Amino acid sequence: QVQLVESGGGLVQVGGSLRLSCAGSGLNFGRVVMGWFRQAPGKEREFVAAIHWSDGSTFYTDSVKGRFTASRDYAKSTGNLQMTSLKPDDTAVYHCATRDSGSVFDPSSYRYWGQGTQVTVSS
């Protein structure tokens, strides 16, 4: 059974930092892409970042470039999202997910999802 468990969310002030983690099990991570998505109240789920597990190549949405960094710990099957210079617009529930094929940026390409972790940025 595949499980993705996020951790690391919380309340932070504007300009602060948080590090999200996504621990995976039951899946061969060798060829997947781990994506990070977020969903704010009343808004659609949006792509944030992704990382190719095999070579570590990364993708980011424009609004987080230079502030967020996706990484992975290959040995621990854990993905991380380091978030810095946080803004109120970053407030959302953040989900990790794994993709087998299809567009990295499209949520429908991802098969397995974590339960989400709340990130709240206060001004």
Side-chain angles (χ1 to χ4, degrees), residues 13-122:
Q13 291 186 332
V14 169
S17 300
L18 282 174
R19 182 181 176 89
L20 305 184
S21 293
C22 177
S25 61
L27 182 68
N28 182 351
F29 279 78
R31 294 182 296 176
V32 303
V33 169
M34 177 174 281
W36 291 90
F37 293 81
R38 64 187 179 188
Q39 188 165 19
K43 295 187 177 181
E44 293 187 354
R45 185 168 296 185
E46 67 167 341
F47 170 82
V48 177
I51 183 167
H52 268 287
W53 209 260
S54 58
D55 63 10
S57 57
T58 53
F59 307 82
Y60 300 96
T61 191
D62 286 346
S63 64
V64 308
K65 285 180 181 177
R67 300 189 297 123
F68 290 13
T69 303
S71 63
R72 88 274 195 241
D73 185 326
Y74 203 100
K76 295 182 179 180
S77 297
T78 298
N80 301 295
L81 185 67
Q82 180 69 45
M83 307 186 294
T84 64
S85 301
L86 284 162
K87 306 174 181 180
D89 284 350
D90 295 319
T91 296
V93 176
Y94 284 70
H95 297 266
C96 64
T98 57
R99 184 218 72 160
D100 294 330
S101 62
S103 171
V104 168
F105 307 100
D106 184 353
S108 67
S109 299
Y110 291 75
R111 178 185 297 187
Y112 300 109
W113 291 80
Q115 82 287 356
T117 185
Q118 176 70 47
V119 172
T120 303
V121 184
S122 65

